[in-house]
Amino acid sequence: IGWVAGPRSALGSGLPDVFRTAVNFWLVAHHAGYSLPSGRVGLLPLGLMVLPGALLYRSGGWITRAADAPGGRRIGVVPAAFALAVPYSILAGLLALAARGSTVVPSAWQALVVAFVLALFAGGLGAARAVVRARGGRVRSGLGALLRLLPDRPRSLVVGVAGATAVLVAAGALLAGLSLALHVRQAGQLYDVLAPGFVGGVLLFLVELAFLPNTVIWGMAYAIGPGFSVGTGTSVSPTGVFLDVVPSFPPLAALPEPGPAPAVSLLALAAPFIAGIVGGALTVRVMPSPVSEAAPLWGFVSGALTAVVVAGLAALAGGPLGGQRL
């Protein structure tokens, strides 16, 4: 559709170039980066993962229901997730190899890994929901179904980690939203400089929505303390803001002014403490046999697992954007 509606040179001069461009868009939606002559592109919008994730979620449920059909063999959540993830990741790796061109070179190993992890996670949640519904249970989400299937002790840890992570993500979203609301005038000026027009404005809005999860995770990193950087030699954290030239992207208008961080923003540092309290309390509350002597140990395990999850989110939300200082 893009090849027919847009200029022919935008997506390539022939069907092979159009195929490579389409495959690269598909790989970017799975958070697989690519290389250019000027450097590597790894800062990809997390919002694009919603569509393949939703489709893989449905596929995991379909595999489980098809196996439970008359004449079929009932399979568990883990085999169903692997049955989906293994061929899906192999397909992504082969497409990455086939889409290599002289300018854009997608990462085959990254496509293999991220497609496998995404299919395993989303497909597993879909399979868990199908398994619980086949047993007569009523669940609204795949995570709720997975919690029903887990043993008591792991379930308490998953609930604690999910609660603590939710608090940190909410703090990041609140920070990003408030900062953008305070800098809405600067965002409007950047929009006027870009002058995208009606169609370009719609596309720009979609790109901003796709990068919204990244923005929330950057706000979460700020609330935790280390903060984030926007290019080499920059830093945005509660200890101070150091910026250079920033790309003309309207959501980046929410960045604080260079210099000491606003005193009000220091209140955000309470977020990790609140998250720790929530995660520890949920972990002990859901435990099958709460023991006061062991509560600190399980609270520590819940906090450590939350740190792993947050570190993974931070790694997904960042990355290079070509060469030089980006």
Side-chain angles (χ1 to χ4, degrees):
I1 294 174
W3 186 44
V4 173
R8 293 298 178 91
S9 60
L11 297 181
S13 57
L15 285 178
D17 289 339
V18 175
F19 168 77
R20 292 190 186 96
T21 304
V23 171
N24 284 320
F25 278 129
W26 184 80
L27 292 173
V28 166
H30 290 73
H31 210 272
Y34 55 91
S35 299
L36 298 171
S38 60
R40 191 175 71 87
V41 176
L43 179 58
L44 305 174
L46 292 175
L48 293 181
M49 298 179 70
V50 173
L51 180 58
L55 296 174
L56 289 167
Y57 178 85
R58 293 178 60 88
S59 298
W62 180 84
I63 290 176
T64 304
R65 289 190 298 270
D68 289 343
R73 180 183 178 183
R74 176 171 294 184
I75 60 175
V77 174
V78 175
F82 273 93
L84 176 64
V86 171
Y88 194 80
S89 61
I90 294 175
L91 173 65
L94 292 176
L95 285 174
L97 292 175
R100 291 193 168 195
S102 58
T103 303
V104 180
V105 181
S107 174
W109 72 266
Q110 199 171 16
L112 192 73
V113 172
V114 296
F116 178 82
V117 174
L118 180 61
L120 188 69
F121 179 74
L125 291 180
R129 186 169 184 266
V131 167
V132 172
R133 295 189 66 178
R135 295 177 180 178
R138 298 184 62 182
V139 290
R140 294 183 178 181
S141 64
L143 181 59
L146 183 63
L147 291 176
R148 287 194 183 186
L149 297 175
L150 286 175
D152 294 336
R153 191 76 66 180
R155 180 169 62 242
S156 64
L157 287 174
V158 173
V159 170
V161 171
T165 305
V167 171
L168 293 175
V169 171
L174 183 61
L175 268 177
L178 287 177
S179 184
L180 187 58
L182 294 175
H183 296 83
V184 65
R185 182 178 178 182
Q186 291 86 335
Q189 292 174 351
L190 286 177
Y191 184 87
D192 293 337
V193 170
L194 293 175
F198 177 75
V199 177
V202 173
L203 294 177
L204 179 61
F205 177 71
L206 293 177
V207 172
E208 292 171 349
L209 285 181
F211 273 105
L212 185 60
N214 302 64
T215 307
V216 170
I217 295 175
W218 297 347
M220 179 183 68
Y222 186 97
I224 294 174
F228 57 93
S229 63
V230 188
T232 305
T234 68
S235 175
V236 181
S237 68
T239 58
V241 180
F242 304 92
L243 293 176
D244 202 332
V245 180
V246 178
S248 297
F249 188 51
L252 293 181
L255 294 174
E257 296 295 329
V264 179
S265 65
L266 297 179
L267 296 175
L269 293 176
F273 296 96
I274 298 174
I277 294 172
V278 172
L282 289 176
T283 299
V284 175
R285 179 173 296 182
V286 181
M287 285 175 61
S289 54
V291 180
S292 58
E293 292 82 359
L297 174 62
W298 289 109
F300 174 80
V301 174
S302 174
L305 292 177
T306 302
V308 173
V309 172
V310 170
L313 291 176
L316 287 175
L321 198 60
Q324 303 301 322
R325 60 174 302 275
L326 288 179

